[in-house]
């Protein structure tokens, strides 16, 4: 099992943070372009899923998978979106994404008055804590992929 | 490292007197900096707004409350969860408008004004106006435009403190410009 990469978006589609661990293949487009495409897709899936939902929507969509990877999605009512790509062996990781939001983003970025909201996170502390948290996850493994 | 990570969930204790006095010092300074009370009210609202915009994230991270389905649920969460969490009080919700878009929060006891008496030359100062800004800022971040204002205040001789909340509209998410 392994973690490929992670995106953090805000309500306006700004990519607040991106990091990758075992990503063997790049999209071949500039990163900015990639964030935009990613956000656009999430936005569309989200509104499509809620339009088609036969029941009242609660949390929206949680994950999708292809034959090679699984995309996990977590969104807060304020529109912060945490997106993590892993391989197929990883089960539901809502609590992990919630932890990234509540214990890392909120604690180290939102509560830091010197970190402006709505733009790329510059905090080195956030970066390194996030990295060590992801590396400490049980399904993070350097060998797989 | 784990210390920092755990901090989010446990509620910290702090002296409420220190908090009340700090807020008092803030308002006093604003009164010195601005000529008239209206400007102070405006500044308090603006500061509250900036607090609310960030506080909502902390609130969501700690409370695990999901999106509200209607304004009544929102009112409940504000009074029973948010006020309890940050000020240690639970205001009562009354005076719903027939359309369900306005309600009042009645604060029996407002911790911000524990040691306060308004001097005569500040009769139009809305001492706790920061709270309105916080409510407005926090709700704006969860796609609700609201108006919040004090209609009764114990500092002005009323028997209770009342914040009137009015729902204005839902803020819709839009795709950022320049995307196909």
């Amino acid at each position: 099992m392994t973690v490929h990469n992670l995106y953090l978006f805000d309500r306006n589609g700004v990519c607040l943070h991106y990091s990758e661990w075992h990503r063997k293949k790049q999209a071949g487009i500039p990163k900015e372009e990639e964030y935009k495409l990613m956000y656009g897709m999430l936005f569309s899936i989200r509104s499509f899923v809620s339009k088609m939902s036969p029941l009242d929507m609660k949390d929206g969509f949680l994950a999708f998978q292809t034959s090679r990877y699984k995309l996990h999605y977590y969104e807060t009512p304020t529109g912060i979106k945490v997106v993590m790509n892993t391989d197929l062996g990883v089960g539901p990781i809502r609590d992990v994404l919630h932890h990234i939001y509540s214990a890392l983003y909120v604690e180290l970025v939102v509560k830091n008055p010197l970190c402006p909201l709505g733009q790329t996170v510059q905090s080195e502390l956030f970066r390194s804590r996030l990295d060590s948290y992801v590396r400490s996850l049980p399904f993070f493994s350097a060998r797989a992929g | 490292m784990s210390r920092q990570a755990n901090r989010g969930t446990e509620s910290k204790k702090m002296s409420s007197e220190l908090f009340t006095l700090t807020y008092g010092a803030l308002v006093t300074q604003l009164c010195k900096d601005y000529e008239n009370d209206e400007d102070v009210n405006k500044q308090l609202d603006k500061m509250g707004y900036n607090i609310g915009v960030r506080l909502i994230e902390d609130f969501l991270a700690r409370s695990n409350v999901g999106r509200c389905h209607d304004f009544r649920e929102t009112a409940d969460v504000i009074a029973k969860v948010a006020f309890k969490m940050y000020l240690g009080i639970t205001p009562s919700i009354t005076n719903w408008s027939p359309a369900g878009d306005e309600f009042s929060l009645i604060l029996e006891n407002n911790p911000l004004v524990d040691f306060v008496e308004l001097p005569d030359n500040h009769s139009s100062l809305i001492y706790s106006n920061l709270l309105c800004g916080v409510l407005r800022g926090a709700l704006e971040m969860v796609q609700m435009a609201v108006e919040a204002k004090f209609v009764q205040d114990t500092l002005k001789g009323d028997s209770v403190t009342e914040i009137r909340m009015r729902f204005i509209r839902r803020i819709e998410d839009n795709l950022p410009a320049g995307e196909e």
Side-chain angles (χ1 to χ4, degrees):
Chain A
M1 290 193 273
T2 188
V3 175
H4 298 306
N5 56 0
L6 180 131
Y7 303 81
L8 190 68
F9 293 102
D10 79 350
R11 185 169 62 164
N12 302 316
V14 177
C15 185
L16 300 173
H17 179 79
Y18 173 77
S19 37
E20 61 186 39
W21 290 273
H22 303 298
R23 183 174 180 176
K24 297 219 170 119
K25 178 181 155 295
Q26 296 292 335
I29 48 176
K31 272 278 175 289
E32 282 307 315
E33 202 61 29
E34 181 186 317
Y35 302 154
K36 267 191 177 175
L37 282 173
M38 180 56 108
Y39 186 81
M41 177 201 65
L42 294 170
F43 189 93
S44 312
I45 290 191
R46 206 169 133 270
S47 55
F48 174 77
V49 164
S50 89
K51 210 167 273 171
M52 290 301 145
S53 172
L55 301 165
D56 199 19
M57 282 268 292
K58 268 203 83 182
D59 292 323
F61 96 98
L62 307 174
F64 73 71
Q65 66 180 57
T66 70
S67 60
R68 291 306 299 275
Y69 74 96
K70 186 167 174 185
L71 180 145
H72 305 262
Y73 178 81
Y74 174 78
E75 183 184 351
T76 71
T78 46
I80 302 290
K81 297 164 183 73
V82 188
V83 182
M84 187 186 261
N85 285 317
T86 68
D87 72 350
L88 297 175
V90 179
I93 50 165
R94 246 181 110 64
D95 50 334
V96 169
L97 301 186
H98 179 76
H99 181 90
I100 291 175
Y101 165 70
S102 64
L104 298 169
Y105 177 70
V106 171
E107 286 297 315
L108 302 174
V109 179
V110 176
K111 288 196 190 173
N112 179 352
L114 296 178
C115 275
L117 300 181
Q119 47 182 277
T120 310
V121 175
Q122 303 288 346
S123 163
E124 200 45 55
L125 188 64
F126 173 75
R127 232 165 245 284
S128 61
R129 286 274 167 81
L130 178 66
D131 186 64
S132 51
Y133 174 68
V134 173
R135 282 176 195 279
S136 74
L137 291 170
F139 50 83
F140 184 92
S141 150
R143 286 181 299 111
Chain B
M1 183 165 297
S2 60
R3 191 188 61 87
Q4 183 88 26
N6 287 335
R7 246 179 33 187
T9 45
E10 71 202 33
S11 72
K12 282 159 283 178
K13 291 243 184 300
M14 69 174 268
S15 156
S16 68
E17 286 190 11
L18 174 65
F19 170 67
T20 305
L21 292 171
T22 308
Y23 184 71
L26 177 100
V27 179
T28 314
Q29 189 59 45
L30 284 175
C31 287
K32 283 182 190 149
D33 291 350
Y34 291 90
E35 300 272 310
N36 61 56
D37 292 349
E38 269 74 38
D39 288 344
V40 177
N41 296 343
K42 220 176 279 169
Q43 277 306 314
L44 283 173
D45 181 76
K46 205 193 270 175
M47 292 166 84
Y49 175 84
N50 288 327
I51 294 174
V53 164
R54 288 179 185 245
L55 197 65
I56 182 72
E57 303 280 8
D58 179 61
F59 175 73
L60 294 171
R62 291 211 285 174
S63 66
N64 247 325
V65 168
R67 189 177 283 283
C68 294
H69 294 291
D70 55 19
F71 204 41
R72 280 177 193 272
E73 193 182 341
T74 310
D76 260 7
V77 171
I78 291 172
K80 297 195 182 120
V81 191
F83 267 86
K84 183 101 196 86
M85 186 185 285
Y86 293 112
L87 290 176
I89 54 170
T90 309
S92 46
I93 304 161
T94 54
N95 291 340
W96 277 99
S97 66
D101 62 345
E102 276 188 47
F103 68 91
S104 293
L105 290 165
I106 307 283
L107 287 73
E108 303 282 333
N109 120 50
N110 175 0
L112 293 180
V113 302
D114 276 352
F115 313 111
V116 182
E117 196 178 327
L118 278 190
D120 292 338
N121 59 339
H122 283 296
S123 55
S124 51
L125 175 69
I126 309 171
Y127 185 83
S128 311
N129 210 28
L130 189 98
L131 293 183
C132 293
V134 172
L135 288 166
R136 187 167 63 85
L139 289 176
E140 185 178 302
M141 294 305 283
V142 286
Q143 281 96 35
M144 265 180 276
V146 297
E147 180 191 88
K149 59 171 191 270
F150 278 91
V151 289
Q152 286 194 77
D153 195 337
T154 45
L155 286 181
K156 295 187 174 152
D158 300 310
S159 58
V160 289
T161 299
E162 173 178 356
I163 302 175
R164 190 77 180 149
M165 302 278 295
R166 188 168 70 85
F167 178 83
I168 302 171
R169 64 187 171 85
R170 255 205 107 66
I171 303 164
E172 293 298 333
D173 268 349
N174 289 319
L175 254 190
E179 257 178 81
E180 59 272 76

